[in-house]
Amino acid sequence: MSTISLRVPDNELAIFKAYAKHNNSSLSEIIRTTMLAHIENEYDLKVFEDYEAQKASGTLKTRPVSALWDELKL
């Protein structure tokens, strides 16, 4: 496992520590999960924006859900 160093103002560190304590978690775990959630949210937004752009341009390809069930053999 790797270690990173992060410089933050003392007042922000106090906020981070209080949040971690409130959530019964370590500061490292809070920073890690928050960062991963932020990345996931940005990815989800990009996927949604691409979907909307394809829909608006008329290039969106769809298929019936029954085709998915057949493909998955469900």
Side-chain angles (χ1 to χ4, degrees):
M1 185 173 296
S2 298
T3 302
I4 62 172
S5 177
L6 179 66
R7 294 186 184 277
V8 296
D10 290 340
N11 62 326
E12 290 179 5
L13 179 59
I15 293 168
F16 297 163
K17 285 182 176 180
Y19 183 80
K21 184 177 180 181
H22 176 75
N23 287 282
N24 298 317
S25 187
S26 69
L27 185 55
S28 292
E29 182 66 14
I30 291 295
I31 291 171
R32 188 183 70 77
T33 57
T34 301
M35 193 66 199
L36 288 172
H38 181 76
I39 292 168
E40 183 179 357
N41 289 341
E42 282 193 14
Y43 175 79
D44 290 346
L45 182 58
K46 175 72 170 116
V47 168
F48 178 73
E49 288 171 346
D50 290 348
Y51 164 82
E52 287 294 318
Q54 289 177 11
K55 192 167 89 171
S57 69
T59 60
L60 182 65
K61 294 181 182 176
T62 61
R63 60 186 180 152
V65 73
S66 59
L68 173 63
W69 301 142
D70 291 343
E71 182 181 317
L72 296 174
K73 298 180 180 14
L74 296 176

